[in-house]
Amino acid sequence: MEIFANLFNILYQFLDSFSFLILSAIGLAIIFGMMRIINLAHGEFMMLGAYITSACYLAGIPLLFAIILGAIGVGIFGLIIDRLVICHLYGRPLDSVVATWGISLIMTQGFLILLGATFEGPSTPLGSFVVGDRNYSVYRILLVFIAISLLIFMYWIFMHTKFGLKSRATMQNNEMASSLGTNTKRMNTITFMVGSMFAGLAGGLYAPTMAITPSFGSAFLMESFITVLVGGANPLIGTVVSGGALGVVNSGLSYLYGTFIGRVGLLIVAILFIRLWPFGFSGLIEKKMMRVK
Amino acid sequence: MKRLTAENVTAGLLFIFLIFYPLMASAYNVLNMSYFLSMVFLSLSLALIWGLAGIFSFGQTAFFGIGGYSYAIISLNLDIPDITFIVLISALLIAGIAAWILGYFIFYGGVNDVFVGLITLCVTLVLATFMSQTAGSQWKIGSVPLGGDNGINNIPSISIGNIISFERNYLYYLILIVLVVVYLLLRKISHSKSGYKLIAVRENRERSELFGYNIPLIQTMVFTLGGVLAALSGVFYVTWGGYISPSSMGITAAALPVVLVAAAGRKNLTAVILFTIIYYMFSQYLSVTGSEYALVVLGFTLVVVILLVPQGVFASLFQLLDRLLFKKK
């Protein structure tokens, strides 16, 4: 029984870490994979999602709908940001990093000035259960299922819809896609919007579990970048595999030595990994598949 | 450099002004100017690796912090005020080695462009978080407690034997002389063969590689040099204030050099120096009237500059003046 409880604890920590990495990285990975743009304001987009979710929840809207509204709100915000800033920076990845960083500074400090240091958020729903002598949150287990179903949903979007086909065409060869009649600029705008929506959704999902502050996004910042870094260019394969692998590293180190070492370990493993396989897991897997063919 | 251009004229006037500044200004203002000048090195380090070699790094403040903390820890441990000049050099060495190790993993791993920015940002944040949780008494190096968020205090100033101790006006002139030397060296480098190598790496890595240049080596070397410059800034900063804390590496501090260099014009060293000094003078004025909008203004500046004047404000201004005054194409 003791062993079972311990094993369950380890599994729970791993799944928790896995879903955290996947959810925080998924929006960033879509935008990077399709547009080669790293959205440094990604964490702040999540923060915006969390704020919208909390505000809706406080206005009496059920949590589920509040989270959906958060995602839609951030999606619209992403559309505006794309039209105002990002669309002028297509094909200039370094400049877009600097510009999105500017946006992130404005958002963090702007929220601090407008709404103060703390904001009342929803409490964690669904209660908890006991295994061995530890408490586990049901909501966190639910997040794991949501993360997995989001991945499946993303797979469906990109592999089985017309939008997915066009966006993959844009990703593989922008000029060719546009000469065959795909409006690649619009694809980029939609991609940025979808990526923002995923960021808002993730922010809303984590709103009940964390303190809602203007620096909400910084909790996700490093994890999301590292997941995308290790995952490489392919938002589907890369994110899943690197989320899984980094989840093992993070939960293992956190279990043994505490959360801070878990985060540092994540960074060091990522740097070593990139030294060995510069194109991340997507590059590694694509290479293996090419060899089979 | 003998040519008469708006940039050279500005640089000449600026340095003449700085040389005579202590004669005109009050002791308080000279002290402040020493601080501004020590921060110029941080901007220069980013201008070197980003503007010249095309390596985008958020992590210059990490090396700033490594330099500052190394100087503080070593000098306080030794507790011999006469040899702090050697401590300065060893602090630069430590930062250089750290930059070399990080650069080795990044550039020999083939990481480039955006991802260099991400890795350096993560390293900086982890370092800042690590230093700010070192408040307890178990966090000590030698006899010096690291002090967590409060940082380290009472750091001695730079001295050579007991001949000269660099404080107040001496410190000002030390920083100014080093700045002029570094500036002229960097200008010289950027017009030399090694400078052209860096520009080649910036413009087209694949083509330069096919010409037989060792790209990762060149990138690692220039990244190391950038790290040493940033550390120099850190050491001057701690000897100026006698104090360093983790917030000097945090996200706000890391934002600043990027904003300054991007807004001034990252390929133009003179523009970077001038803009950094003007920014710090302005920000000191602003901090009297309330600084919570400072970050918003900084972020806004970044976005606007990138969208409207990607070359940088001052660099574009120099070009305009050249066209008007010196009839250059």
Side-chain angles (χ1 to χ4, degrees):
Chain A
M1 199 56 205
E2 183 76 4
I3 296 168
F4 172 73
N6 266 332
L7 276 179
F8 183 80
N9 185 20
I10 292 169
L11 180 71
Y12 174 85
Q13 299 236 2
F14 163 71
L15 287 175
D16 188 36
S17 170
F18 174 73
S19 54
F20 186 89
L21 292 168
I22 295 283
L23 286 172
S24 61
I26 197 165
L28 193 70
I30 291 174
I31 295 173
F32 173 69
M34 298 291 160
M35 302 163 68
R36 301 280 134 185
I37 281 177
I38 284 285
N39 179 12
L40 269 190
H42 181 72
E44 279 61 43
F45 279 36
M46 292 175 76
M47 181 265 291
L48 182 67
Y51 268 89
I52 296 176
T53 303
S54 314
C56 291
Y57 181 77
L58 291 181
I61 299 169
L63 186 62
L64 177 67
F65 294 105
I67 291 174
I68 293 170
L69 280 176
I72 294 171
V74 178
I76 295 169
F77 182 75
L79 179 69
I80 297 169
I81 291 291
D82 180 81
R83 288 287 93 200
L84 282 178
V85 181
I86 310 292
C87 74
H88 304 289
L89 301 174
Y90 292 156
R92 285 159 62 189
L94 271 185
D95 285 352
S96 62
V97 167
V98 180
T100 50
W101 201 32
I103 295 169
S104 107
L105 292 178
I106 298 173
M107 285 177 75
T108 313
Q109 193 66 18
F111 270 73
L112 188 64
I113 294 170
L114 291 176
L115 297 169
T118 53
F119 194 75
E120 197 183 339
S123 53
T124 311
L126 300 175
S128 62
F129 61 98
V130 180
V131 175
D133 48 2
R134 283 166 188 271
N135 269 313
Y136 298 99
S137 154
V138 180
Y139 186 71
R140 293 235 167 208
I141 301 280
L142 184 67
L143 284 181
V144 177
F145 287 105
I146 293 174
I148 292 169
S149 34
L150 271 185
L151 286 171
I152 296 170
F153 179 62
M154 199 167 88
Y155 176 79
W156 178 77
I157 287 185
F158 283 112
M159 303 308 270
H160 292 282
T161 64
K162 195 150 193 191
F163 163 77
L165 189 68
K166 282 185 175 177
S167 71
R168 277 184 295 138
T170 312
M171 175 175 140
Q172 281 175 4
N173 195 330
N174 197 321
E175 278 174 25
M176 192 61 85
S178 96
S179 63
L180 288 175
T182 304
N183 188 341
T184 51
K185 281 208 162 165
R186 188 191 284 164
M187 290 315 299
N188 280 336
T189 304
I190 296 175
T191 306
F192 194 80
M193 202 175 99
V194 171
S196 310
M197 275 178 79
F198 275 106
L201 184 66
L205 286 171
Y206 276 98
T209 67
M210 293 163 64
I212 314 284
T213 64
S215 59
F216 182 85
S218 62
F220 299 91
L221 187 80
M222 202 182 91
E223 279 78 0
S224 59
F225 289 155
I226 285 180
T227 309
V228 175
L229 184 70
V230 172
N234 190 316
L236 280 169
I237 308 170
T239 315
V240 179
V241 182
S242 83
L246 291 173
V248 173
V249 172
N250 185 26
S251 58
L253 287 174
S254 303
Y255 181 76
L256 292 172
Y257 304 108
T259 357
F260 182 73
I261 299 293
R263 290 189 82 185
V264 176
L266 214 54
L267 178 68
I268 291 170
V269 167
I271 292 177
L272 291 177
F273 184 88
I274 283 298
R275 172 69 186 87
L276 296 172
W277 296 284
F279 295 102
F281 274 116
S282 346
L284 199 67
I285 289 163
E286 270 163 25
K287 214 166 137 191
K288 283 266 147 59
M289 302 229 301
M290 293 289 267
R291 231 174 254 165
V292 172
K293 279 172 193 164
Chain B
M1 241 182 276
K2 282 150 201 148
R3 265 168 286 144
L4 204 60
T5 61
E7 186 191 349
N8 291 341
V9 172
T10 316
L13 289 177
L14 178 70
F15 284 123
I16 291 170
F17 170 75
L18 287 175
I19 288 168
F20 292 107
Y21 187 71
L23 303 177
M24 303 178 274
S26 65
Y28 173 74
N29 282 334
V30 174
L31 203 62
N32 280 331
M33 187 56 92
S34 322
Y35 165 57
F36 306 156
L37 290 184
S38 64
M39 300 312 276
V40 166
F41 291 98
L42 188 59
S43 302
L44 277 182
S45 80
L46 187 64
L48 168 71
I49 63 171
W50 186 22
L52 199 60
I55 301 164
F56 179 61
S57 160
F58 277 113
Q60 294 315 100
T61 47
F63 301 118
F64 178 91
I66 291 175
Y69 268 104
S70 309
Y71 179 85
I73 291 164
I74 298 173
S75 61
L76 286 175
N77 262 319
L78 285 176
D79 202 23
I80 313 168
D82 289 352
I83 58 161
T84 42
F85 201 76
I86 299 164
V87 178
L88 162 78
I89 291 164
S90 51
L92 296 186
L93 265 178
I94 292 172
I97 292 168
W100 190 83
I101 293 172
L102 185 62
Y104 168 79
F105 278 105
I106 291 177
F107 300 115
Y108 280 84
V111 177
N112 269 304
D113 299 329
V114 178
F115 283 127
V116 181
L118 295 191
I119 291 185
T120 47
L121 180 64
C122 292
V123 168
T124 312
L125 289 183
V126 164
L127 206 60
T129 346
F130 175 75
M131 290 317 291
S132 58
Q133 53 95 51
T134 55
S137 54
Q138 74 274 27
W139 290 103
K140 262 185 184 183
I141 294 182
S143 60
V144 184
L146 294 178
D149 270 326
N150 295 324
I152 302 177
N153 289 306
N154 299 324
I155 301 164
S157 53
I158 305 168
S159 333
I160 304 175
N162 47 15
I163 310 161
I164 188 165
S165 169
F166 291 103
E167 282 167 14
R168 296 179 179 281
N169 279 5
Y170 287 109
L171 179 67
Y172 176 85
Y173 278 112
L174 174 71
I175 295 175
L176 184 59
I177 290 167
V178 177
L179 178 64
V180 173
V181 171
V182 167
Y183 170 76
L184 290 178
L185 270 178
L186 288 181
R187 288 286 303 260
K188 183 107 185 135
I189 287 177
S190 59
H191 289 285
S192 71
K193 248 187 177 164
S194 25
Y196 290 145
K197 271 187 213 166
L198 295 176
I199 293 171
V201 172
R202 177 185 78 199
E203 295 300 327
N204 196 329
R205 277 193 303 277
E206 277 175 11
R207 196 177 292 173
S208 329
E209 194 164 8
L210 290 175
F211 278 136
Y213 293 110
N214 188 343
I215 308 295
L217 181 70
I218 294 173
Q219 286 178 315
T220 311
M221 296 299 268
V222 73
F223 191 72
T224 308
L225 190 60
V228 171
L229 269 183
L232 188 62
S233 181
V235 174
F236 282 145
Y237 171 73
V238 299
T239 57
W240 171 79
Y243 161 78
I244 187 163
S245 77
S247 66
S248 60
M249 302 191 264
I251 187 111
T252 319
L256 205 49
V258 180
V259 179
L260 293 176
V261 172
R266 58 175 187 260
K267 291 172 190 167
N268 195 309
L269 296 170
T270 319
V272 169
I273 295 180
L274 190 62
F275 195 81
T276 308
I277 294 174
I278 290 177
Y279 166 79
Y280 275 98
M281 288 173 116
F282 188 63
S283 80
Q284 197 159 52
Y285 167 76
L286 262 189
S287 68
V288 183
T289 52
S291 65
E292 63 173 353
Y293 291 95
L295 267 185
V296 178
V297 174
L298 280 184
F300 200 70
T301 318
L302 256 188
V303 177
V304 171
V305 165
I306 289 293
L307 284 180
L308 301 181
V309 232
Q311 294 291 323
V313 180
F314 276 32
S316 306
L317 215 62
F318 286 155
Q319 274 175 10
L320 188 74
L321 283 175
D322 274 348
R323 227 175 294 157
L324 290 177
L325 298 177
F326 302 107
K327 307 269 184 259
K328 293 241 168 62
K329 56 180 158 91

